[in-house]
């Protein structure tokens, strides 16, 4: 979800120069800065809410899928993943941040420009580089690298634990545990 938020933020920041002309026309027609900010933030929150809902649906589906498989380790294990309150609250916080922040930055930038200059400009193709857009791209690449490294470390730890001999007969260990609990 976090990487999807960075992707959506990057897309919104890339579209910001294209929308400057539209915002310039709205300001010229009398729209207040607050109204433009509300519109762009509403668009961002709606997009983030749809993305968050899709992420929760996808995580619920993959949780059921992952819990159907057992890990190939000496001691049979099943993953039990549930969508609980803290996970949903965390998703809602990320949705709020991902909806407001990427929409607010371009909106503030767009409402501060010279209206006459924006309206007269014919094309925004090849617009100048944006520090904010570059920062989001750097954050996206850094986050992807971090998540890839973490996934590789988890995979390595899993293979190390699967190759480890615990010192007892693991295929029949569940019988001892079951007899102990009954």
């Amino acid at each position: 979800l976090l990487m999807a938020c960075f992707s959506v933020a990057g897309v919104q920041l890339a579209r910001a120069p294209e929308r400057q002309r539209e915002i310039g026309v709205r300001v010229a027609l009398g729209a207040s800065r607050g109204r433009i900010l509300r519109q762009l933030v509403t668009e961002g929150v709606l997009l983030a809410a749809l993305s968050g809902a899709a992420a929760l649906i996808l995580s619920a589906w993959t949780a059921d899928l992952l819990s159907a498989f057992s890990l190939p380790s000496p001691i049979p294990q099943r993953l039990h993943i549930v969508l609980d309150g803290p996970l949903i609250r965390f998703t809602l916080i990320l949705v709020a941040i991902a909806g407001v922040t990427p929409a607010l930055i371009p909106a503030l930038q767009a409402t501060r420009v010279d209206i006459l200059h924006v309206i007269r400009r014919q094309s925004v193709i090849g617009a100048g580089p944006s520090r904010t857009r570059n920062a989001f791209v750097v954050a996206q690449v850094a986050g992807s690298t971090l998540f890839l490294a973490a996934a590789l470390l988890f995979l390595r730890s899993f293979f190390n634990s699967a190759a480890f001999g615990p010192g007892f007969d693991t295929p029949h260990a569940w019988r001892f545990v079951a007899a102990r609990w009954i």
Side-chain angles (χ1 to χ4, degrees):
L1 178 62
L2 187 62
M3 295 315 300
C5 291
F6 279 128
S7 296
V8 170
V11 168
Q12 285 184 334
L13 288 172
R15 286 185 49 216
E18 297 172 6
R19 296 203 65 187
Q20 279 185 348
R21 183 175 172 95
E22 170 197 345
I23 293 170
V25 169
R26 288 176 185 236
V27 169
L29 291 173
S32 69
R33 183 177 184 192
R35 182 162 174 88
I36 292 172
L37 288 174
R38 277 194 309 269
Q39 176 197 350
L40 294 176
V41 169
T42 302
E43 290 174 4
V45 168
L46 181 64
L47 182 61
L50 290 174
S51 300
L56 284 175
I57 290 169
L58 183 66
S59 66
W61 178 74
T62 55
D64 291 341
L65 183 69
L66 286 175
S67 64
F69 296 107
S70 65
L71 297 174
S73 64
I75 300 174
Q77 302 174 18
R78 290 216 181 257
L79 295 174
H80 182 66
I81 303 169
V82 292
L83 293 177
D84 54 353
L87 179 67
I88 293 173
R89 281 192 296 273
F90 178 72
T91 303
L92 290 175
I93 290 169
L94 277 182
V95 162
I97 292 170
V100 173
T101 305
L104 195 60
I105 293 170
L108 289 172
Q109 289 174 347
T111 56
R112 290 184 184 157
V113 298
D114 182 24
I115 300 168
L116 215 47
H117 175 70
V118 170
I119 293 175
R120 285 185 183 165
R121 189 170 53 185
Q122 293 297 321
S123 175
V124 292
I125 297 175
S130 167
R131 284 189 215 160
T132 311
R133 194 176 346 151
N134 291 341
F136 270 99
V137 169
V138 167
Q140 188 174 7
V141 170
S144 297
T145 305
L146 177 74
F147 288 142
L148 179 64
L152 290 175
L153 286 174
F154 284 135
L155 191 63
R156 183 177 175 193
S157 295
F158 173 73
F159 285 133
N160 286 343
S161 67
F164 178 74
F168 56 89
D169 187 21
T170 57
H172 303 291
W174 66 271
R175 290 182 188 164
F176 174 73
V177 172
R180 186 89 169 140
W181 284 52
I182 294 178

